[in-house]
Amino acid sequence: MSTYLIGDIHGCLDELKALLAQVDFNPVQDTLWLTGDLVARGPNSLEVLRFVSGLGESVRMVLGNHDLHLLAIYAGISPNKPKDRLTPLLQAEDADTLINWLRRQPVLQVDDELKLVMAHAGITPQWDLETAKVCAREVEAILSSDSYPLFLDAMYGDMPNNWTDELSGLARLRFSSNVFTRMRFCFPNGQLDMICKDTPENAPRPLKPWFSLPSPVVQQGYNILFGHWASLEGKGTPEGIYALDTGCCWGGDLTMLRWEDQAWFTQPSNRREEKDDLQAPSAL
């Protein structure tokens, strides 16, 4: 029985299957953790959703910003752009089933035994684990309800960018979804900066990667796993913080960590020959 943790898939089904084949992944006994962004930009978003949803309880995934954007497109809130390569999914006979499955997935995974916490973009240093759980449940509740289009219509925006227990309503939900799915940089006090998309070494002062600030979650003895930030590859993260997105859909690799023995596995992108022609990752 092994626990496998994989970074952003972005429609790269062939690479996902090849990566799982490297370790003889067995859904009957193994568990697969996915950092979100299953869809968009890669060639097979429809097939990825079918494959992952078909794995049943062996999968523990979180939603990413591109997954939420797909939900917004399907709800008629955002336009379907050709660069996302989502048309086959949107037009599929089983689109309703897949979308309804997707919107009922969590934005936060916690395993108290393994001491693992996963969110697509990470956990703000302004939150301890209990606060993160509460905020996750709030987002998940509205996404799984009939009112989910109301939230999707209001989720776009960079404010508020500072946590307080007094946040409420759609503003609170927007802050939480930005933390879970879009966050990269913070000010030294933990306030979010939702504008900078640079690598850490190129970010203007006083901005810092969220994970470079003291984390109450890590101090509580947990490890934080996240994706979202492909340009972090090779940059390193502090102890207890694991960055898993290595830009497969941009011509990089799909990366997997086996938790029990800390063994890393990679599968090169089938689009590697196109790498010079691919655009840099976009942050919704």
Side-chain angles (χ1 to χ4, degrees):
M1 297 176 64
S2 296
T3 306
Y4 295 103
L5 318 164
I6 296 182
D8 301 16
I9 297 169
H10 278 294
C12 296
L13 179 66
D14 292 341
E15 293 90 336
L16 173 61
K17 287 185 173 180
L19 189 59
L20 294 176
Q22 287 188 37
V23 295
D24 295 322
F25 173 76
N26 184 346
V28 175
Q29 63 184 26
D30 298 328
T31 303
L32 182 63
W33 289 55
L34 303 175
T35 62
D37 277 2
L38 271 62
V39 302
R41 305 304 171 88
N44 299 116
S45 292
L46 170 61
E47 292 78 6
V48 166
L49 286 191
R50 287 172 173 168
F51 178 74
V52 173
S53 63
L55 292 175
E57 294 183 359
S58 64
V59 171
R60 298 186 65 170
M61 63 164 285
V62 293
L63 294 171
N65 53 307
H66 283 276
D67 303 316
L68 292 180
H69 191 57
L70 166 63
L71 298 180
I73 293 170
Y74 199 73
I77 293 165
S78 295
N80 176 27
K81 297 180 180 179
K83 66 180 180 180
D84 286 325
R85 306 175 77 173
L86 291 171
T87 299
L89 194 167
L90 296 166
Q91 296 179 347
E93 292 183 357
D94 55 347
D96 279 341
T97 299
L98 294 171
I99 291 295
N100 284 324
W101 171 82
L102 187 66
R103 71 181 177 91
R104 289 177 170 83
Q105 299 308 304
V107 294
L108 179 72
Q109 290 280 1
V110 178
D111 190 305
D112 293 321
E113 181 178 346
L114 295 177
K115 295 297 181 182
L116 297 180
V117 174
M118 177 180 279
H120 176 66
I123 306 294
T124 172
Q126 294 186 321
W127 284 349
D128 59 16
L129 184 55
E130 187 55 41
T131 303
K133 288 179 178 179
V134 169
C135 292
R137 287 194 293 266
E138 292 168 352
V139 174
E140 291 159 5
I142 195 165
L143 277 174
S144 63
S145 76
D146 292 339
S147 299
Y148 78 97
L150 177 67
F151 163 67
L152 294 173
D153 190 40
M155 74 175 176
Y156 295 101
D158 298 337
M159 301 298 288
N161 66 345
N162 194 45
W163 173 251
T164 168
D165 287 331
E166 296 177 358
L167 283 177
S168 63
L170 291 173
R172 181 180 172 106
L173 291 169
R174 186 186 306 115
F175 178 87
S176 297
S177 65
N178 281 342
V179 167
F180 289 126
T181 69
R182 294 182 59 215
M183 172 183 66
R184 285 188 176 91
F185 289 99
C186 296
F187 292 93
N189 66 353
Q191 179 179 332
L192 303 182
D193 173 85
M194 301 303 299
I195 298 174
C196 182
K197 314 300 181 202
D198 289 333
T199 55
E201 63 270 23
N202 292 326
R205 294 182 180 181
L207 297 182
K208 297 178 178 293
W210 64 266
F211 52 76
S212 70
L213 300 177
S215 168
V217 174
V218 173
Q219 292 169 354
Q220 289 173 260
Y222 288 80
N223 300 276
I224 299 177
L225 315 158
F226 71 104
H228 183 57
W229 203 343
S231 61
L232 283 179
E233 183 177 4
K235 303 296 191 302
T237 51
E239 184 176 357
I241 307 284
Y242 294 80
L244 297 174
D245 182 14
T246 48
C248 184
C249 75
W250 313 111
D253 296 324
L254 191 62
T255 293
M256 175 170 65
L257 170 63
R258 185 166 58 207
W259 185 249
E260 283 74 17
D261 61 358
Q262 297 289 290
W264 292 88
F265 305 87
T266 60
Q267 181 65 36
S269 171
N270 292 345
R271 306 178 78 200
R272 181 155 289 177
E273 65 277 5
E274 307 172 44
K275 187 172 183 179
D276 292 340
D277 297 325
L278 295 173
Q279 296 180 352
S282 169
L284 295 171

